[in-house]
Structures are given as C-alpha cells and as structure tokens.
Amino acid sequence: MAKKVLGQSNPSATTLTTLYTVPSAKEAVVSSISVANLTATAATYRIAIRPAGAAIANQHYLGY
C-alpha cells in the first residue's frame, strides 16, 4: 500500500473540520497523526472517526 498524506488543515478554533473522507468502496489505514500548536498560547484538539451519515457524537472521538 502506498504511503501518502491524506490531509492537512489549520482550522479555526472550535470548528469541526473534515480532514479526509474515504471514497466509496475503498478503505484507508491511518498509521500516524501529528498535531502541532502553532500559536503562543495553549490550545486543545480532538480527533474523531465518524461513520458515513452519522452525526458527530462522543463515541467517535479517539483523542483529546
């Protein structure tokens, strides 16, 4: 399987942002995720995997 960058983003604070959507009839494996704080102040993040058609909910979050 080829390795590639699936997405990069610098979203606004408190904004849910879709970084990558797996195409229909395909699958994706994420082997690493990097989070960087590019500001001089403390920041928080959340990472979630949401099934197609589902509204984001607590059970979808992998990391805070």
Side-chain angles (χ1 to χ4, degrees):
M1 181 177 283
K3 294 180 183 180
K4 62 182 177 178
V5 175
L6 297 177
Q8 296 177 330
S9 181
N10 187 4
S12 300
T14 67
T15 302
L16 289 175
T17 303
T18 298
L19 188 59
Y20 181 73
T21 301
V22 180
S24 180
K26 300 289 182 178
E27 62 182 42
V29 175
V30 177
S31 59
S32 62
I33 296 173
S34 297
V35 176
N37 180 3
L38 303 177
T39 68
T41 58
T44 59
Y45 70 93
R46 293 181 183 197
I47 297 171
I49 295 178
R50 180 178 52 89
I56 195 72
N58 287 340
Q59 68 264 26
H60 299 135
Y61 286 97
L62 301 175
Y64 287 79

